[in-house]
Amino acid sequence: MLYISLRQYEYVCAIGRYGSLSSAAQHLNVSQPALSNALTRVEEQLGHPLFARRRGAAMALTPQGRSFIEEAETLLAKAARLENAAETGAGKARLRLGCFVDLAPFMLARSLRLLRAELPDVAVSYRVDNFEGLISGLIDGRIDMALTYGMSMDASFSKQTLFSSSPHALVSPEHPLAKKPQVSLRDLAAHPLILSEEGLSAQHVLGLFRRIGESPTVAHRAASLEIQRSLAAHGEGIAISYANPPAKISYDGIPLVSLPVSDSFAAEPVVLARHGTGPTDAQIAVAENALLSFRT
């Protein structure tokens, strides 16, 4: 008889991944008591603690907890593959591609076309998500590979750089910096910024300013790139984004100026990533080779 459910495995893995009940609850969209109850039941069943609880500190994995989560993530990945096989028909191969939300308008459609041309007998699906969603999807097997920026991935991921992307500053034509051919981070630091609502993206941009000893004011955190562009076009501040659509107007028809950021250290690689660093299967190898055509 099975005494631990897949849902409880999922909850415990999320606590380990995000370091706290509150953060895990937010990402899973469940209540903290539900997570706490699941963790208590799992620890009672196993007979030992999985986390060391310290007041005011993140929940640290015990050695037994680390081993448990490694095996639990493997189990969840196998369960996801079984579930997907049931959805697409027994024996039908499936490939699941992830793509970072701001890259998707530029890369997703071409990627699907390339993959379906190279793997005509494979059911190709995709998931567009933020950094944390893609990382968790790669770890638990819900996606096989992802097109994303290289930030926030540790040595447990295999990454192949496709090209380097530099940020742009988006301003209204009336902005004092609008006539410059390019701008530096120091130029931007004196003006209010419009950053992404996505946590890791905003932290990355603010980290660039910290490298030059600056701490700019953040006027807005926008839920999407187009909201960033619209706010910038209306003079609400300077939007900073690695995605740079060719259109010179916002969605609501207001002119917009895109200025390259000149600091070389601000460049960030766009990568094709998968979880694990060892050899992969033939299907993933073919898919990776197809997507390497994005290299410049």
Side-chain angles (χ1 to χ4, degrees):
M1 181 180 294
L2 295 176
Y3 295 96
I4 301 176
S5 69
L6 287 176
R7 183 66 67 194
Q8 289 167 337
Y9 280 117
E10 181 183 13
Y11 284 178
V12 173
C13 288
I15 298 168
R17 186 178 307 129
Y18 298 112
S20 71
L21 289 169
S22 59
S23 183
Q26 179 182 353
H27 284 88
L28 291 177
N29 196 28
V30 299
S31 68
Q32 289 190 46
L35 291 180
S36 180
N37 289 339
L39 177 57
T40 298
R41 293 188 63 180
V42 170
E43 289 181 326
E44 289 176 348
Q45 177 62 36
L46 297 175
H48 54 74
L50 300 177
F51 296 88
R53 279 82 158 175
R54 297 190 300 271
R55 185 178 297 276
M59 297 176 67
L61 283 165
T62 63
Q64 297 97 326
R66 188 171 295 107
S67 176
F68 175 85
I69 284 182
E70 287 175 357
E71 295 192 29
E73 286 181 338
T74 299
L75 175 64
L76 289 169
K78 290 180 178 179
R81 286 194 291 270
L82 285 172
E83 185 176 280
N84 287 325
E87 291 174 357
T88 58
K92 186 172 178 62
R94 183 179 179 90
L95 179 72
R96 297 150 301 198
L97 175 69
C99 191
F100 180 61
V101 59
D102 284 357
L103 290 173
F106 302 90
M107 301 182 71
L108 180 59
R110 178 181 165 188
S111 298
L112 295 175
R113 187 176 70 250
L114 289 168
L115 291 172
R116 288 167 180 158
E118 291 296 322
L119 297 163
D121 297 323
V122 175
V124 178
S125 60
Y126 68 89
R127 171 181 174 183
V128 175
D129 213 330
N130 59 22
F131 290 119
E132 292 178 341
L134 292 177
I135 289 171
S136 64
L138 288 168
I139 290 173
D140 65 24
R142 284 174 289 143
I143 54 179
D144 299 304
M145 56 177 59
L147 296 164
T148 183
Y149 292 102
M151 65 185 76
S152 76
M153 289 189 176
D154 60 26
S156 67
F157 292 88
S158 173
K159 295 176 288 185
Q160 299 188 70
T161 298
L162 302 179
F163 55 88
S164 181
S165 178
S166 295
H168 283 69
L170 309 176
V171 300
S172 73
E174 292 76 32
H175 194 279
L177 298 176
K179 302 301 182 183
K180 294 174 71 71
Q182 60 183 15
V183 290
S184 68
L185 290 169
R186 203 166 295 282
D187 293 330
L188 303 176
H191 302 274
L193 303 183
I194 304 165
L195 301 184
S196 170
E197 195 177 78
E198 208 283 325
L200 288 176
S201 177
Q203 290 171 25
H204 173 74
V205 172
L206 292 174
L208 297 177
F209 284 98
R210 285 194 294 271
R211 288 184 63 173
I212 61 170
E214 298 284 357
S215 182
T217 300
V218 178
H220 297 280
R221 293 183 183 267
S224 71
L225 173 59
E226 280 307 324
I227 295 175
Q228 280 186 278
R229 286 166 52 82
S230 179
L231 289 169
H234 283 271
E236 286 289 315
I238 298 174
I240 299 180
S241 173
Y242 281 82
N244 186 37
K248 303 303 182 185
I249 59 173
S250 62
Y251 265 14
D252 54 350
I254 307 300
L256 190 65
V257 176
S258 177
L259 304 171
V261 174
S262 60
D263 303 77
S264 59
F265 67 83
E268 185 68 24
V270 174
V271 302
L272 176 61
R274 60 180 172 85
H275 191 231
T277 57
T280 187
D281 61 48
Q283 178 177 291
I284 298 297
V286 171
E288 287 181 336
N289 188 60
L291 296 181
L292 289 180
S293 65
F294 279 104
R295 279 182 167 166
T296 56

